[in-house]
Amino acid sequence: GGRAATASPAASARFVRCLYAVGFLDLFGVSMVVPLMNLHVRSLGASHTVAGIIGSLYGIMQLFTSTFVGCWSDIVGRRYSLLACILLSALGYFLLGNSTTVLLFAISRVPVGIFKHTLSISKALLSDLVSERDRPLVMGRFNAASSVGFILGPVVGGYLAEFKGGFYQTSFICASIFLLNGGLVWMLPWNEENTSNRNHYQDKETNSFSAKSNHEHHLKSATRRAVANSSFFQSPWIQVATVLKKIKGVACSNLWDVFLVRFLMSVTILLYYSNFTLALEERFGVKPLFSGYLMSYSSALGVLAGCLLGPITRLYGHNTYRLLLHSSTFTCTLILLYASAPSIWMVILSSTFLAFSTTIGRTCIIDLELTLGGNEASGTLLGVGQSVTSVGRITAPLLSGIAQEFSPCGPPSLAVGLALVAIVIMNANKQKYCSHGSVKLKNQ
């Protein structure tokens, strides 16, 4: 018993560090390839319309599969689902490296569109490993590690693209990175972590409010571990039925307002970036190269913001709702400042602070979803959240195009309005969020 107690923190720390590496390698590999894909499919003879259709089909597949794959990870366990998603994504990028026709290119996007949910499952695994108090800090660092990969990937991909057959080499390297990630996940100390999780659940049970709740929590935890160990080998039909039942449970829950806030804030940020380069050129005569540098600068600050989430959440007394409300209000104010900026220096100032507020808000909305929905279905909740964001990615370009008909500042102005609606919804449900937050603090 003593050995398990001392081993569990080390096992959890090892898991967390490895998952940071998984997040970094994942986005590093993907961001090497994605900026080159449109150029490659055009070189194969595809029209702009066909290239756009292929890109849209990928987004639609992500929209409909993220909830199912996230829920599936709750049923069969994180290990098997994460490995399956990594290996099938590697297959997709390997096929991409052999895509010499438009048809093969489109086929290569199918396994990636269906199974490229590795980051969501990694976040669900992180939420299983750490306490609710530490979750924003760990999620922030995970996002920061992933963002570093997103910053470095395009540089390496652009360099490789200069060589003959560079796109194919880049795709094979990306597939190899996913295989490396699969090996990393396979070698994680899963046996030690099972012991760690048992101790973690037992420690949480000792702090419950009553003997009845202790017993129920123990049964739920034991059932979840048993399901995770055996469900992967059950009939696919049983797995599908269980997945649909869990999705129905989330759909019938009272989390609609949280997902609506996530949708509104996602569209807000996407509208801000939708015509960023074009608007700066029209408003201030700034060249696209400067806009690119400014966006890279913001991404780097986003990494820093992820690392600073720990001190910030401590400053707020681990009150996720209040931090989300303030960061969303700050985001709304900064986008309004950008839309009315009289000079490029005001744009730089707003971009600087916006990198912090959006990074903090993105982490807080995930933490609020898991706090209100409970860790029993963290994969499902994160999957639904990804689907909501995907709907935002589909909606934002349409809204941006309509808003740009009126003014270059149309998209950010519309974004301010949507952010205000999100803030009103959060204020209207303040009592609900605060009650869950107080229970969270009591349990800690």
Side-chain angles (χ1 to χ4, degrees):
R3 183 179 179 278
T6 56
S8 65
S12 294
R14 219 166 22 247
F15 252 81
V16 170
R17 286 194 297 269
C18 287
L19 288 174
Y20 290 162
V22 167
F24 166 78
L25 291 171
D26 186 292
L27 274 189
F28 176 73
V30 170
S31 60
M32 284 172 56
V33 176
V34 170
L36 309 175
M37 289 177 58
N38 195 50
L39 184 63
H40 176 67
V41 73
R42 292 279 295 129
S43 71
L44 296 177
S47 65
H48 289 293
T49 302
V50 172
I53 290 173
I54 294 174
S56 297
L57 287 176
Y58 171 81
I60 292 171
M61 283 189 289
Q62 287 273 291
L63 166 65
F64 287 105
T65 59
S66 58
T67 300
F68 285 93
V69 173
C71 186
W72 183 58
S73 75
D74 288 332
I75 303 302
V76 304
R78 310 292 182 220
R79 183 182 193 180
Y80 297 116
S81 57
L82 185 55
L83 279 172
C85 287
I86 289 174
L87 295 178
L88 288 167
S89 297
L91 173 63
Y93 287 109
F94 177 78
L95 293 174
L96 189 65
N98 290 281
S99 59
T100 53
T101 66
V102 176
L103 178 60
L104 289 175
F105 182 91
I107 291 173
S108 71
R109 302 302 290 154
V110 173
V112 181
I114 296 174
F115 293 102
K116 177 59 183 72
H117 302 291
T118 48
L119 293 181
S120 295
I121 298 177
S122 297
K123 289 178 182 178
L125 181 53
L126 281 174
S127 73
D128 295 339
L129 292 173
V130 300
S131 65
E132 291 184 5
R133 185 184 184 90
D134 295 329
R135 189 166 56 206
L137 168 65
V138 173
M139 290 290 186
R141 289 178 176 174
F142 179 82
N143 289 334
S146 303
S147 298
V148 171
F150 188 76
I151 293 170
L152 297 178
V155 178
V156 177
Y159 174 76
L160 293 173
E162 296 293 324
F163 298 97
K164 184 178 180 180
F167 178 81
Y168 298 107
Q169 295 175 15
T170 305
S171 298
F172 285 130
I173 291 173
C174 179
S176 301
I177 288 174
F178 272 81
L179 290 177
L180 175 63
N181 260 351
L184 194 61
V185 170
W186 180 261
M187 291 187 295
L188 284 171
W190 294 96
N191 291 333
E192 291 182 50
E193 195 52 45
N194 287 338
T195 303
S196 172
N197 284 339
R198 281 194 294 271
N199 291 334
H200 172 66
Y201 291 128
Q202 289 168 359
D203 289 341
K204 288 180 69 175
E205 287 159 11
T206 59
N207 294 324
S208 298
F209 295 111
S210 66
K212 181 180 178 181
S213 65
N214 287 348
H215 180 65
E216 290 177 350
H217 196 124
H218 178 75
L219 288 177
K220 286 182 180 180
S221 301
T223 302
R224 184 171 69 170
R225 288 195 300 272
V227 167
N229 289 331
S230 63
S231 291
F232 183 78
F233 304 101
Q234 288 180 354
S235 164
W237 300 111
I238 296 177
Q239 293 184 25
V240 169
T242 310
V243 164
L244 293 175
K245 183 178 179 181
K246 290 178 74 69
I247 292 175
K248 180 183 177 182
V250 172
C252 297
S253 67
N254 61 343
L255 294 175
W256 65 268
D257 51 319
V258 181
F259 291 123
L260 181 56
V261 167
R262 177 168 183 152
F263 170 76
L264 291 170
M265 292 309 298
S266 296
V267 175
T268 295
I269 303 305
L270 290 167
L271 284 173
Y272 169 78
Y273 284 111
S274 63
N275 73 330
F276 188 77
T277 301
L278 179 62
L280 290 188
E281 188 173 7
E282 290 186 10
R283 293 172 64 190
F284 306 109
V286 172
K287 298 298 180 184
L289 180 62
F290 180 84
S291 301
Y293 283 137
L294 186 56
M295 293 177 74
S296 297
Y297 164 72
S298 298
S299 298
L301 289 178
V303 174
L304 178 61
C307 297
L308 293 177
L309 258 170
I312 293 172
T313 52
R314 285 195 293 272
L315 180 66
Y316 273 78
H318 300 276
N319 190 328
T320 304
Y321 160 72
R322 193 157 61 96
L323 183 54
L324 176 62
L325 179 62
H326 289 178
S327 66
S328 300
T329 305
F330 198 31
T331 296
C332 180
T333 305
L334 290 169
I335 295 179
L336 178 61
L337 184 64
Y338 159 74
S340 58
S343 68
I344 190 63
W345 294 107
M346 192 66 73
V347 173
I348 295 173
L349 179 66
S350 62
S351 297
T352 299
F353 290 103
L354 194 66
F356 284 88
S357 65
T358 54
T359 301
I360 292 169
R362 187 166 59 246
T363 305
C364 286
I365 192 67
I366 292 174
D367 186 66
L368 193 61
E369 287 172 7
L370 295 174
T371 300
L372 296 176
N375 281 344
E376 295 294 329
S378 55
T380 307
L381 293 168
L382 291 171
V384 173
Q386 283 298 109
S387 294
V388 169
T389 303
S390 296
V391 174
R393 290 195 185 102
I394 295 171
T395 307
L398 175 62
L399 295 177
S400 176
I402 296 172
Q404 284 183 80
E405 295 291 338
F406 298 94
S407 165
C409 296
S413 301
L414 179 58
V416 171
L418 295 178
L420 285 173
V421 174
I423 292 167
V424 169
I425 292 173
M426 281 188 277
N427 275 306
N429 292 275
K430 179 179 180 180
Q431 190 63 39
K432 168 184 170 182
Y433 301 146
C434 289
S435 64
H436 278 82
S438 62
V439 171
K440 173 180 173 180
L441 290 174
K442 285 178 182 178
N443 286 333
Q444 293 165 0

